[in-house]
Structures are given as structure tokens and as C-alpha cells.
Amino acid sequence: MTILESASAWAMDRAHVLHPYTDFSTFAEEGSQIIEKASGMYVTDSDGRRILDGIAGLWCVNIGHGREEMAEAIARQVIDMDYYNPFGHSSNVPAAKLAHWLATNSPGNLSHVYYSCGGSTANDAAIRLVHYYFSMKGQHRKKKIISRVNGYHGATYVAASLTGIHGTKIGFDRIGEDFIHHVSAADLYSRPRDMSEADYCDFLVNEFENRILQLGPDTVAAFIAEPIMGAGGVLVAPDGYHRRIYEVCKRYGMLYIADEVVTAFGRLGEWFASEKLFGYAPDILVCAKGITSGYIPLGATLISSEIYEVISRPQCEGGLFSMGLTYFGHPVACAAALKNIEIMERENLLANARSAGAHLQAAAASLINLPVVGDVRGSHLMLGIELVADKGTRAPLPKAVEIARSCLERGVMVRPIGNKIVVSPPITIDKDQCDTIVSAINDSILEFASGR
Ligand SMILES: Cc1ncc(COP(=O)(O)O)c(C=O)c1O
């Protein structure tokens, strides 16, 4: 028996894996919950417990788990052509086909795709492309990026700097503070009580414009935002917010980057949310996660034809576009994305996300009546529940981990983020499964509140 066979996965993991977002104080004793099997809407852990996946792995397994068709498409591509250099004028069939699909189905005139390995790298690429674009235009001072408090954009150095969630920064060094600036989150629940939604929207748009003026419009290059903030707590912006911010960007010659890592590929009932749901066509759109339903890593940064024209025009001749990743346009990942899209189309999963999503939001609305629930919000298959110690003061109650643990005992996986519980199931979910998730949260909160 080899050492790998004799030790349990739990023990090897506890000894050697440096987990993201792990609390080391409890990890040393508890170790990880090892997920061993996954099929459809369910995962099974190493204790044999079958759990309804209320978070699609991590906002990504949109078509549900364990699809043989996906395995076959991935295997087929490995057999046909596993990998080859994507640099220079070398490419592969799935990368070309996927780029064509993305350019055809994405909003506005996004015409070219820069591939990477996930959301963080796709956001890093977006910022490098913005900087390169303005350099090529001769606007060398136009490099600042405005992001938002509570926005989440990833964990590589620049993506982490774009991220506006305070807790992700503690103990870490910072880079980018000279060119990355944050404005307020669009957080309807936390706005002053006597402020209407429309007034709040005016406030946010004015704040944004003032920040541009303060920084100097000739130095501000782009704004980046998620259509609906995910990890920041499922924050849905006031009506008209994105469109108006987009218009301000255009007024000051800025680019709008839509981080659709979570919202693209069906979570909000559309391939892409920016234009269909929020009425603006971004200059750059970033996607990952749902593009392959998480079966294999892939990120994509889509740029407009205007940006492409500038960065590819004759003046660049002789100067290489020297920005490349070994796994750019990886054929196996792109083949997985194409099969994922085919499955979503064939099974009409966007329509399911719309109907199941409406059901989920309606069923969850009653949670607001529970003690310690301050807000219930979301859209389609993104749901956030905010826990408060006092409904009057809205003081946060950071006990979501306890509620999530209790949901797990009821056979349902939800995601705890501080004082927020997040739900983002596969878009294959049916209405009964939505009810199961909501009732597990309901019962877990009631149990928690009764023990306080
Ligand atoms: C909106 C958003 N952008 C970017 C990322 C980073 O993606 P990844 O973890 O694939 O690098 C995430 C991850 O959750 C995300 O939610």
C-alpha cells in the first residue's frame, strides 16, 4: 500500500492544503468536509451525507453536477488535441468556435476574446488591456480605475486590489492604491431610512461623478462593477443605476467593465445580464465560472471592436502584443464551454432560471418575518439574506456560519459570508428544491433564534 492509499484524504488535506478563506483556528481540529461525489443537484460528502447544493459549488456549476456528456466532450478533446501553443498566430478549433459564439451572443459590439484561467486572471487581463488601450491612444495619464466598496473581483494581486471587501485585505500587503479607487457600494438596505430609492441612486451617481472630477477626468480610465454584487452580499443596485453610471463613464471618455463572472451564463436568466437586465452594453465584459459550469477552469475577457481597433491598428506593427498565458484558449476548457452552452440551449435552462428564480425569490420573501433577518434580497437565482442583531439599528449579526452549519444538518448547502447567507443553486433547480432550500434556512434561523 502506498502512502497515498494509506492516509485518508481528510488527513492529507488537513496536513498539506492551504485552503482559501479558511479559519485556521478551527481548521486544525476540524479539517475539511471532503466532497466525494456530485450528481445533478446533489453532492455527497465522505461521510455519505447527500446534500442539496444551494450554491452551485461556488456560483458556477450552472448545469448541475456530474454530466457524462461533459466528461465525453472533455475526453474527446483530450484525445483529438490536448494542448498546443496559443501564442503568435497559432490557435485551436474550440477556442475559435467559442470566441465566435461569445462575440455573437454578448451585448453591444464586444468582438474579441482574451482567454485566461478564471475570474481573477480575466479581471487582471481587463485592467492590463485598459491600460494598454489608453497607452496606444497616447493618453498615458488615463490609467485610474474606479471600483466599488464590497465589490469582489478576485484574488490575484490586481483583482484583490479591485476588490472592495475590507475583510479580504486584513494582513495582506496592498498594491494598486495609486491607481485603484473605490466608491460606495449600491447597497439599498444600508441607505439612510428616509432616503427614497431614486434619491439614493442620485446620491451614488453624484458621488461617482464627483470622484472622477476629484481624480481628474484625464486620469480616470475605467469603472468596474458586477451587475449584481455577489460575494459582497447579493446587492441589487437601485433602478437605473448601472445605465446612469455607464452614461457618466461615456461623458468622461471612460470604459465600463462589467464583471459578469457570476451573472453570465444563466444565473439571472440570460447569457449576459448587463444589457438585457440593466440596459447598458459594456466596453469590456469579464466572464468565468458558468462559462464551463465549473467543470474545468476558464476565464474570458471580451473587448469591444473600438478597443480592438486601437490596440491592433497599424501603429502597433512591429510591436508585439506581449501578453500571454500558456493556457490561453485551452482547447479542453473551450470544448467544455461549447458543450456547456449546447446543454443550456437544448434544455432551455435560461427559461428555467427565470421561472425557478422567480419562485425562489417569492418563497424566500417570507424569511423577512423571522427574528434576526434584516433583509432578504436578490434576483433570479441569486439570493441574499442579511442577519441583524437588531432590526431597528440593523447592527450586523455575524452568525451566518452557524446557520449554514444547521442547514447542512438539514441536508442543504448554503454559503455563509459574515452576517449574510447566500444562495446560488445550479440553474437546473426545480421549484420543490427551491422550497427545500428556503425551508432549511427558515428552520435553521428559527432554531438559532430560539437558542439565543
Ligand atoms: C464577480 C467575481 N469576479 C471575479 C471572481 C474571481 O474569480 P476566480 O475565483 O475564478 O478567480 C469572482 C469569484 O467568486 C467573482 O464572484
Side-chain angles (χ1 to χ4, degrees):
M1 192 180 267
T2 68
I3 186 165
L4 287 179
E5 286 161 342
S6 61
S8 75
W10 180 86
M12 290 186 281
D13 178 89
R14 194 178 66 134
H16 302 296
V17 178
L18 182 60
H19 284 274
Y21 289 91
T22 284
D23 175 349
F24 294 116
S25 67
T26 48
F27 183 75
E29 197 185 320
E30 293 172 7
S32 292
Q33 176 190 33
I34 307 273
I35 303 298
E36 285 191 345
K37 297 244 174 240
S39 174
M41 285 293 302
Y42 292 87
V43 297
T44 306
D45 70 12
S46 49
D47 295 332
R49 183 165 45 180
R50 192 164 172 264
I51 306 155
L52 179 59
D53 182 7
I55 58 173
L58 191 58
W59 318 92
C60 55
V61 187
N62 291 2
I63 59 169
H65 297 276
R67 297 252 192 181
E68 286 196 9
E69 261 186 287
M70 289 293 284
E72 282 157 12
I74 288 167
R76 183 75 260 152
Q77 187 56 46
V78 171
I79 293 163
D80 286 349
M81 203 285 274
D82 52 353
Y83 172 79
Y84 202 71
N85 161 30
F87 283 22
H89 298 203
S90 171
S91 193
N92 66 71
V93 175
K97 280 191 180 168
L98 180 60
H100 175 73
W101 188 92
L102 290 166
T104 309
N105 290 280
S106 57
N109 58 4
L110 300 170
S111 62
H112 284 74
V113 183
Y114 185 87
Y115 289 116
S116 56
C117 309
S120 306
T121 45
N123 276 327
D124 265 28
I127 302 307
R128 288 199 78 195
L129 288 166
V130 167
H131 287 174
Y132 188 64
Y133 165 76
F134 282 113
S135 292
M136 286 294 147
K137 283 184 89 171
Q139 293 175 268
H140 296 281
R141 275 165 51 76
K142 208 165 171 66
K143 296 291 166 68
K144 291 178 188 159
I145 311 290
I146 300 183
S147 185
R148 300 186 297 173
V149 171
N150 278 339
Y152 186 76
H153 300 292
T156 50
Y157 239 123
V158 165
S161 303
L162 295 171
T163 293
I165 300 175
H166 175 69
T168 63
K169 316 226 173 206
I170 297 167
F172 284 101
D173 285 1
R174 312 259 177 113
I175 59 159
E177 286 185 342
D178 50 334
F179 74 92
I180 295 171
H181 302 267
H182 291 87
V183 290
S184 302
D187 183 354
L188 276 166
Y189 178 61
S190 302
R191 77 186 190 278
R193 278 192 196 287
D194 55 356
M195 194 183 258
S196 69
E197 179 170 337
D199 287 348
Y200 183 54
C201 191
D202 289 346
F203 162 79
L204 292 169
V205 175
N206 289 337
E207 182 203 35
F208 180 60
E209 184 159 9
N210 286 337
R211 184 63 65 86
I212 296 167
L213 294 171
Q214 179 202 3
L215 293 168
D218 60 328
T219 70
V220 187
F223 173 68
I224 181 166
E226 304 151 82
I228 292 180
M229 264 187 199
V234 186
L235 301 181
V236 184
D239 203 25
Y241 165 89
H242 286 290
R243 173 80 213 165
R244 289 178 62 192
I245 294 278
Y246 172 83
E247 283 162 5
V248 175
C249 287
K250 293 300 108 185
R251 205 170 321 136
Y252 293 101
M254 292 166 58
L255 300 174
Y256 190 115
I257 308 169
D259 179 346
E260 290 227 32
V261 167
V262 164
T263 54
F265 293 95
R267 185 144 302 287
L268 295 178
E270 301 291 346
W271 292 115
F272 302 96
S274 307
E275 193 173 38
K276 291 267 172 58
L277 271 72
F278 300 105
Y280 67 97
D283 303 288
I284 298 182
L285 189 150
V286 175
C287 50
K289 293 194 189 264
I291 191 170
T292 58
S293 280
Y295 278 69
I296 220 159
L298 181 65
T301 307
L302 281 56
I303 61 167
S304 68
S305 47
E306 286 84 4
I307 296 175
Y308 181 73
E309 267 165 39
V310 169
I311 67 175
S312 64
R313 72 189 175 201
Q315 73 189 48
C316 309
E317 278 172 14
L320 278 182
F321 175 60
S322 50
M323 170 173 154
L325 301 163
T326 301
Y327 300 127
F328 177 100
H330 196 291
V332 179
C334 292
L338 290 168
K339 180 56 74 177
N340 178 54
I341 290 166
E342 183 194 312
I343 290 170
M344 286 177 68
E345 275 171 348
R346 193 179 63 229
E347 297 184 5
N348 211 1
L349 293 182
L350 299 184
N352 190 63
R354 291 194 282 270
S355 59
H359 185 85
L360 177 70
Q361 300 297 330
S366 64
L367 297 173
I368 192 69
N369 301 318
L370 294 174
V372 310
V373 173
D375 195 27
V376 180
R377 58 189 174 237
S379 180
H380 300 78
L381 292 172
M382 291 178 80
L383 173 70
I385 297 141
E386 183 147 345
L387 304 175
V388 290
D390 179 321
K391 291 198 186 207
T393 63
R394 294 179 287 191
L397 181 69
K399 295 288 182 188
V401 169
E402 287 180 35
I403 308 293
R405 199 167 288 149
S406 173
C407 286
L408 196 57
E409 278 158 21
R410 293 175 164 83
V412 171
M413 188 84 81
V414 296
R415 177 143 180 251
I417 308 178
N419 73 320
K420 294 160 193 110
I421 298 161
V422 167
V423 174
S424 59
I427 68 171
T428 49
I429 194 169
D430 66 28
K431 291 178 182 167
D432 287 345
Q433 290 160 338
C434 290
D435 291 341
T436 303
I437 293 173
V438 172
S439 88
I441 296 171
N442 181 76
D443 297 352
S444 299
I445 292 177
L446 274 179
E447 183 184 80
F448 170 83
S450 69
R452 286 183 87 208

